[in-house]
Every structure is written in C-alpha cells, then in structure tokens.
Amino acid sequence: MKSKLLMIIKIGWLSIWRNKRRTLISLFSILIGTGIPTFFVCIAWGFYAGLVDDVARLMAGHVTYEHVNYRNSPSNDLWVDDIQVINKSLNNNDEVLLTKQIVNLQGVAHTAKGSVGISLMGIEPSKEITISYLPESIVEGEYLSEGDGRWVIVGSKLAESLNVNVGKKFVFTTNDIKGELIEELFRVKGIFKTGSKEIDGHFVQSDIDIARMVAGLSSNDVSQLGIIVKNPDTHERFLQEMQKTLAKKNGVFLSWQQIMPDVATTIRMDRTAISSIMVLLVVIVLFTMFSTILMSTLERRREFASLLAIGTQPIELKLQIFIETILFGLIACPLGSLLGVGIAKWTEGYDMMDVVGGKAEDMTVGGFGMDTIITPLFSIPLILQISIFFFLAVQLLSILPIYLISRISITDVLRST
Amino acid sequence: MNTKKEIVSLRNVIKNYGHGKVITKALQGIELNILEGDFSVMMGPSGSGKSTLLNIIGGLDKATSGEVNFNGKDFNTLSNKALSIIRRNHIGFVFQNYNLLPVLTAYENAEYVLMLQEIPISQRKEKVMHFFQEMGLEGLEHRFPRELSGGQQQRVAIARAVVSDPLLVLADEITANVDSETAQSLLELMETLNKNNKTTFLFSTHDPAVIKFAKKVIVLKDGKITNEQISSENIEKYTKR
Ligand SMILES: Nc1ncnc2c1ncn2[C@@H]1O[C@H](COP(=O)(O)OP(=O)(O)OP(=O)(O)O)[C@@H](O)[C@H]1O
Ligand SMILES: [Mg+2]
C-alpha cells in the first residue's frame, strides 16, 4: 500500500515536470497570486496595528472604563467615581501595561481672533510622556509636567485659528458637573503638530488636577480610565473579564473599536478590500492554470487509457492527478507566502509617502493621522490563511481532469493512433 | 483427450457498434476456446474484428450478446471494477504502440503492475530482473522509453505484460511498428516465454512471419471465424494492410 502510494506520488511528481515551461508558468501564477495578498496584508496590518496602538495610547487606551451613558452623549457631567480601587486592581493585573486617568471637558476657546470648539483632556503628564506620542510632537515650547496648572498645550492649527503663541492666553468656556457655566483662563505652554486635522485643530491637553478643578470633580473621579494592555490582540477577552469583576453599576468597560468606531470601520473595510483582491487573484490564477491542466490531461489520454487497460484502478489514476495539483500548491503556495513576506520585509522602514506620493497629512483614519513609515506585521495565522486559501483553490482545478478520466473509453482511445 | 485448463471460452459472441440504422456488426457469433499454454495467432483482413475480439476477451469492452467466460468467470455479469481487477491480476496486454509510461524507467515500467498488486519489493525485484535477463534487457533498466529503440521498448512492454504471471497475454499487432528482424526476435522471445513459463498468448497480426510461430491459427473474416486455411495462395488477403 505504501509503496503503491509512493509510486503514484512519484509518477505525479515526474508528470508535472514533463512540460517544464508550462509548469513554471503555473507555479509562477500561484506564487504571485499568493504573494501579492500576503504582502498587502503584512503591510496593512502593520499600519493598522501601529495606528491602533498609537491612537489607543494618545486617547483612552485599548480598553476604556467610563460612565454607561458617556458613549451616547459625552457630556461633562457623566463621570465615574471611586476610581482609585479599580485603578489599583488594574495596575496589579499582569495583562495591563499602564492605566491613564482622564478628565475630558467639551467647550469653546476664545481669543480676540475668534472662537473654536475644543476638547480639553486632562491627563497625568509624567505618565503621558511614557505612553503617548504627543510629547514628541511638540514643535514649539514644551510638553506639560506635573502641577502645571493653567499651562496647557494646543495643536498647531488651533494656535493658528486663535492666533496664540507660546506664553499667550485664551479663555475656555465650559460647564461644570452641576451644569454651571464656567470661564477659565489658560496659557499656552507648547504647540504640537500630529498631522491630523482633528487633533491639531481641536485638541488641548492640560494637567488632570486643573481639569478636575474646573469640572468640580474630586481626585477619585474621572471621565475615562484608559487601559493600555500588553497584548492588544486579546483585549476583547480581557474586557469581558474586567466587566465581570470590576465594573460598578454606572460604569462600563469598552474596547477601542467601540470608543473609536470610525477607525474600526476603516480597518474592517480594508480587510474586505484585501479579501476582494484575493478573490480576483484566485480567479486569474485558476484561469491561467485551467488551460494548462486541461492540455496536460488531454495529451495523456492515451497513456491513461493504457494504464487503465493493464489494470490501474480509475481511483488510482484520479489520485495521481489529484497529487499533481497538490504538488503544484505545495511548491508554490509556501514560496508565495515567503515572497510576500520577503517583499514586505524589504520595504520595512521606507516612508510610504515616498512610494505612492502625496502628503502625510492626507493619510488619516477616522480623523487620526497615520504613521506612514512602513512597519510590516507578520501575523503567522493570517499568512497561513492566505496560503491555505490559494492551496485549496488550486485543488479545484483537479476536478476537470478527474472528470475526464472517469469518462475515458479505453478502447476508443487505444484504437485512435 | 485434452486435459489442459480452459482459460477463455466464447459462445456465440456478437458485437455490434453504433445504433439505429448504421450498425456495424463487428463480431457475428464467435465460438472460441483458449487453453492454458496456447500460442494462438488471429489473422484476418482489416476490419474483420480482431481488435474487437481481443478487447472483449481482455475485459476492455463488453459483448453485445453471447457468453464470455474467463477463467470460470462470466464477464457479462462483472462490474467495471471487477473487470479491472481481473485485468490487473490475470491478463497481460501488449500494444502496437508500446504505451510505456514515459516518466518511468524501463525497470519501473515493468515493475508497475507488481506495484499495483502490492507485491513486496524483494519479490518485485526478483521477478523483474528474471524477465529482464531472459529478454536481453539487462543494462537497460535505468533507461527511459525515449532512450530505447522501438524493439527494446516493445520488449519492456512484453516484460510488463508477463512479469506478473498472467493467465493470458493479449497482443494486438505488436510487430506492426518494428522491422522484420526485430519482429522475428520478439516472437522468438515470446515463444521461449511460452515454453519456459507456460504463458498463454493470443496475438492478432497482419504479419505473415508471425504465423510460423503459431501453434494455432484463428482466421477471422467479417466478424466470423472461418475454416479457411491460410496458404501461399491466399495469404496476401490476410496480410494486406
Ligand atoms: N468504436 C467503434 N465504433 C464503431 N465501429 C467500430 C468501432 N470499433 C470498431 N468498429 C468497426 O468494427 C469492425 C471491426 O474493427 P476491428 O478494429 O476489430 O478490426 P481489426 O480486425 O482489428 O482491423 P485492423 O486489422 O485494421 O486492426 C470494423 O468495421 C470497425 O470499423
Ligand atoms: Mg485491429
């Protein structure tokens, strides 16, 4: 049994090399077909993993704890209290890298030049320096430090529209948690530039103490508690656990997808786009290979007929054909994956903008600027998925020759010379 | 008295091709017995039904009516799969065009049927080498069919047909593609195999040289076996191609 199978495999292997040129064209088409989506996926997933991490660190973490109604209307009077207990237990959790306490205040900034709607985010500056990219994005002045009081940092576009420089003042109008109108004077300590219109134009950061004071919150209250996890891939499960064990009645743990649905949607759409490319490529690959497989079957009709005559079982012949397509897939699909990974690896560190042209400012996802430096992400399950998908698709090609064999008339084929 | 085992027995075998108005009556009531150790040659003008008869005896084709009995089994009642297994285990085929597998060496081609029969490697080797020696194929084991002459390829094909000790070897026009000298040596070879191994052969041919070797001559004409004797006067009729 074993030696028979080995013989069939051997005949299959030798048979595919009978027409080297044709076989190489087929192998090449599978290889390219597998390689292209692998490359795209490595690059795109790299971008998105980077983006998600950046945004999570800048905003409210991979997982966020906030008031149950805050998602519906992020108003200043929806906060979560008694936060220190939750915070402590999160910081003792092995899966958590860091937590950030956040007080958000929606309001309007005024100067003589005009008024702009802004979002003020109070954070702990010493922590922010270790997690967020905002401190590195300062282009004028300095980033915040503890006890900075009314000194804040603003985006470059906002500084322009308010016509303020480092050291200059503006008035911030907002509501406190009781609904009272509050006016506060802030001074610009630094100006940042991230490349994102949203953030550079409408975002202000301050020390959390002053934000709490303006809002009328105690040191045990926050608008959001952002959680940066060590492994973002498992954040959903982590979230479920925390919701069960830690959440208070008025609080809820949410994922970054829920906090930033625009970003999540864009990423999902991109996955769909890549899947469509893959389907298109499969069609092209099968199309190029179809005629090859058909020809090589028709060419060998006489051979098949004589093998059947001397007692080869049809199933054994079909197995041989099946092995031929399996071998095609086994050779070309892994090589295709390697090719895709190789090219992705090779492009690592290049700025995508140099390749496709255009301005980095234009590259935004859900309002957030993207890092355009290529940092591919090599997810083995994903790469395998693509490879296996193409492998299985190629196996479909054996249906035709197997069908032809089952219809062969031995005597008719042998009679014709 | 004949105590030899009967391998094939045909009773009133009829084979029609086509349907409706255009029916070709390829065989019209064939009665034939083939006994163990026979070395029979079938002759007949082109279109007289030689190949058709060989195909039916070999289980490649089914008779329209009549009895086809092979080694005690009624071919009419067997499935294609059962016929295929009988061919594998008990019938050797030699074709006019050799029909060796081009990707396998001479040795591997001869070994092929033994592999299908799942014979252990040591026995396979012994059998193949035995026949290669007997047939003057030593030294050619590792050559591919394209590296062999027509006569050598046909020898390998004969080796493939006899190596599994079949009850019957069917050979349809196997000397048609080789020169007369090669044909002569192929026939001598099979005569030896017939003598030494009691292998039973049934040939079809146009080649008058084959008749000299025949122990029995079967003459086919218009799908019937005739009693006509082949002589120097009428031989031309049977050898014209
Ligand atoms: N598949 C088929 N369909 C229709 N007619 C067929 C078929 N096969 C054979 N025939 C006809 O049956 C008759 C016998 O053919 P067969 O091939 O057996 O003759 P043959 O004696 O082998 O001839 P040759 O010496 O030329 O090989 C011929 O008239 C042939 O045309
Ligand atoms: Mg014929």
Side-chain angles (χ1 to χ4, degrees):
Chain A
M1 188 65 208
K2 210 177 114 202
S3 62
K4 179 155 84 179
L5 186 62
L6 284 177
M7 174 184 72
I8 292 173
I9 293 173
K10 178 177 170 179
I11 295 174
W13 167 254
L14 294 169
S15 297
I16 67 175
W17 293 107
R18 273 159 79 168
N19 191 324
K20 287 203 185 64
R21 203 176 72 99
R22 218 159 57 187
T23 296
L24 288 175
I25 291 173
S26 293
L27 289 175
F28 190 71
S29 74
I30 308 174
L31 189 131
I32 297 296
T34 316
I36 290 174
T38 303
F39 166 74
F40 275 130
V41 162
C42 292
I43 298 287
W45 266 236
F47 271 122
Y48 290 133
L51 173 79
V52 166
D53 209 50
D54 283 351
V55 173
R57 284 158 176 268
L58 173 67
M59 306 305 284
H62 300 109
V63 174
T64 309
Y65 181 64
E66 61 183 32
H67 191 280
V68 277
N69 294 330
Y70 192 70
R71 240 354 67 203
N72 294 335
S73 62
S75 67
N76 297 351
D77 58 354
L78 294 174
W79 76 95
V80 279
D81 53 8
D82 204 6
I83 210 68
Q84 300 313 338
V85 181
I86 297 176
N87 197 22
K88 194 164 171 203
S89 109
L90 281 171
N91 277 296
N92 288 335
N93 190 312
D94 271 350
E95 296 186 52
V96 175
L97 186 69
L98 268 171
T99 57
K100 54 190 276 191
Q101 301 184 38
I102 300 164
V103 171
N104 290 318
L105 291 172
Q106 314 302 325
V108 181
H110 316 268
T111 56
K113 176 99 187 284
S115 311
V116 182
I118 62 161
S119 169
L120 179 107
M121 186 190 218
I123 41 77
E124 302 154 277
S126 59
K127 261 194 191 169
E128 204 68 7
I129 286 170
T130 66
I131 46 177
S132 164
Y133 66 86
L134 204 60
E136 289 156 35
S137 311
I138 296 288
V139 287
E140 262 178 74
E142 277 173 52
Y143 188 67
L144 302 167
S145 51
E146 242 77 40
D148 261 349
R150 294 175 193 284
W151 292 93
V152 298
I153 57 162
V154 301
S156 56
K157 290 243 160 60
L158 181 63
E160 229 172 81
S161 21
L162 294 175
N163 194 22
V164 290
N165 288 322
V166 173
K168 292 278 156 49
K169 298 171 285 194
F170 66 90
V171 175
F172 178 53
T173 312
T174 186
N175 298 310
D176 69 9
I177 56 173
K178 293 191 197 104
E180 304 282 339
L181 200 68
I182 306 271
E183 287 208 333
E184 286 291 333
L185 199 69
F186 284 122
R187 262 179 208 280
V188 177
K189 184 177 185 189
I191 295 173
F192 58 82
K193 190 171 179 178
T194 62
S196 147
K197 259 190 216 141
E198 251 333 279
I199 297 190
D200 292 350
H202 303 275
F203 191 63
V204 175
Q205 258 191 359
S206 74
D207 185 26
I208 193 166
D209 292 341
I210 185 79
R212 276 193 176 120
M213 200 204 82
V214 171
L217 290 171
S218 84
S219 66
N220 214 6
D221 306 328
V222 291
S223 313
Q224 294 176 311
L225 187 62
I227 303 150
I228 317 284
V229 294
K230 286 178 186 158
N231 182 4
D233 291 342
T234 59
H235 76 286
E236 290 286 355
R237 182 193 44 74
F238 172 79
L239 180 154
Q240 305 296 339
E241 271 175 41
M242 293 305 110
Q243 183 64 31
K244 262 190 222 129
T245 55
L246 283 183
K248 297 259 163 107
K249 230 201 216 129
N250 66 349
V252 63
F253 283 87
L254 298 173
S255 66
W256 64 262
Q257 286 97 330
Q258 291 164 306
I259 302 287
M260 300 176 289
D262 290 358
V263 175
T265 306
T266 309
I267 293 177
R268 233 188 345 263
M269 268 164 30
D270 231 60
R271 291 186 183 208
T272 313
I274 289 181
S275 303
S276 320
I277 292 178
M278 233 159 85
V279 170
L280 187 72
L281 282 166
V282 159
V283 171
I284 294 172
V285 168
L286 295 192
F287 210 76
T288 27
M289 283 189 72
F290 181 80
S291 60
T292 299
I293 299 277
L294 184 64
M295 289 256 279
S296 87
T297 311
L298 292 180
E299 272 172 13
R300 288 186 286 165
R301 267 161 63 88
R302 192 176 186 81
E303 210 170 296
F304 292 153
S306 55
L307 290 179
L308 290 170
I310 65 175
T312 310
Q313 302 292 302
I315 184 81
E316 289 161 347
L317 214 49
K318 290 172 190 172
L319 182 64
Q320 182 196 320
I321 297 292
F322 193 48
I323 283 169
E324 290 177 21
T325 49
I326 287 181
L327 288 171
F328 269 113
L330 279 184
I331 301 168
C333 290
L335 284 179
S337 301
L338 281 180
L339 178 79
V341 167
I343 299 176
K345 189 91 199 138
W346 176 70
T347 59
E348 185 162 8
Y350 283 93
D351 190 334
M352 198 166 69
M353 288 304 127
D354 296 344
V355 186
V356 297
K359 283 188 300 216
E361 281 82 19
D362 300 338
M363 290 293 296
T364 59
V365 173
F368 296 99
M370 266 183 36
D371 185 357
T372 57
I373 303 296
I374 297 174
T375 2
L377 179 78
F378 302 105
S379 151
I380 290 176
L382 263 177
I383 294 168
L384 277 182
Q385 257 177 44
I386 296 171
S387 216
I388 291 170
F389 177 73
F390 273 85
F391 179 83
L392 293 178
V394 168
Q395 302 320 307
L396 290 179
L397 285 172
S398 63
I399 293 173
L400 176 77
I402 285 174
Y403 171 75
L404 288 177
I405 283 177
S406 65
R407 303 229 4 192
I408 243 175
S409 154
I410 303 173
T411 50
D412 286 351
V413 175
L414 287 180
R415 184 185 306 276
S416 59
T417 9
Chain B
M1 257 265 302
N2 200 340
T3 54
K4 278 195 201 160
K5 195 175 145 199
E6 195 176 69
I7 292 172
V8 177
S9 118
L10 303 185
R11 293 290 159 262
N12 196 23
V13 167
I14 291 174
K15 176 71 183 180
N16 296 331
Y17 286 111
H19 37 253
K21 283 196 175 140
V22 269
I23 288 183
T24 311
K25 297 179 171 174
L27 297 176
Q28 309 186 48
I30 300 287
E31 305 276 334
L32 179 67
N33 292 326
I34 292 169
L35 305 179
E36 188 175 25
D38 272 2
F39 199 80
S40 311
V41 173
M42 196 161 36
M43 294 202 80
S46 187
S48 58
K50 302 182 292 295
S51 297
T52 304
L53 188 54
L54 284 179
N55 288 341
I56 287 173
I57 293 171
L60 294 174
D61 209 349
K62 293 216 164 164
T64 308
S65 69
E67 254 177 60
V68 179
N69 203 289
F70 180 91
N71 196 32
K73 294 211 170 68
D74 181 1
F75 269 9
N76 289 329
T77 63
L78 294 179
S79 67
N80 283 336
K81 180 166 168 129
L83 287 174
S84 166
I85 289 170
I86 288 180
R87 290 200 300 273
R88 162 187 297 190
N89 293 337
H90 301 301
I91 303 176
F93 286 90
V94 188
F95 308 98
Q96 179 178 343
N97 303 311
Y98 330 130
N99 287 343
L100 296 173
L101 209 52
V103 295
L104 296 184
T105 62
Y107 179 91
E108 291 163 339
N109 264 289
E111 195 188 20
Y112 182 87
V113 179
L114 300 177
M115 288 273 219
L116 293 182
Q117 293 179 347
E118 298 178 21
I119 306 238
I121 182 159
S122 57
Q123 285 180 48
R124 290 203 302 264
K125 184 158 187 180
E126 196 183 312
K127 283 176 191 244
V128 174
M129 288 322 289
H130 167 78
F131 282 104
F132 267 42
Q133 264 156 31
E134 194 163 352
M135 302 173 74
L137 286 168
E138 309 114 298
L140 303 179
E141 293 90 345
H142 302 298
R143 295 228 192 147
F144 288 96
R146 62 169 184 280
E147 300 166 338
L148 297 171
S149 72
Q152 288 168 332
Q153 286 188 58
Q154 197 57 299
R155 262 181 236 210
V156 175
I158 294 167
R160 174 175 71 177
V162 299
V163 74
S164 57
D165 268 328
L167 291 172
L168 175 64
V169 175
L170 299 172
D172 196 0
E173 312 253 14
I174 63 167
T175 57
N177 282 5
V178 295
D179 60 53
S180 57
E181 236 168 90
T182 310
Q184 179 84 10
S185 76
L186 286 175
L187 284 159
E188 280 166 9
L189 179 74
M190 284 183 285
E191 192 177 43
T192 319
L193 291 171
N194 174 255
K195 244 182 235 150
N196 295 353
N197 305 301
K198 304 273 174 299
T199 314
T200 311
F201 285 90
L202 176 59
F203 297 88
S204 86
T205 191
H206 279 103
D207 185 354
V210 179
I211 298 175
K212 290 190 305 206
F213 291 86
K215 286 191 195 165
K216 264 190 204 165
V217 177
I218 300 159
V219 181
L220 264 188
K221 208 173 154 189
D222 298 331
K224 294 187 196 117
I225 294 177
T226 69
N227 293 324
E228 199 172 315
Q229 295 298 307
I230 293 184
S231 62
S232 48
E233 281 106 70
N234 67 5
I235 191 155
E236 204 181 310
K237 192 162 83 190
Y238 297 103
T239 55
K240 201 170 63 204
R241 305 213 58 191

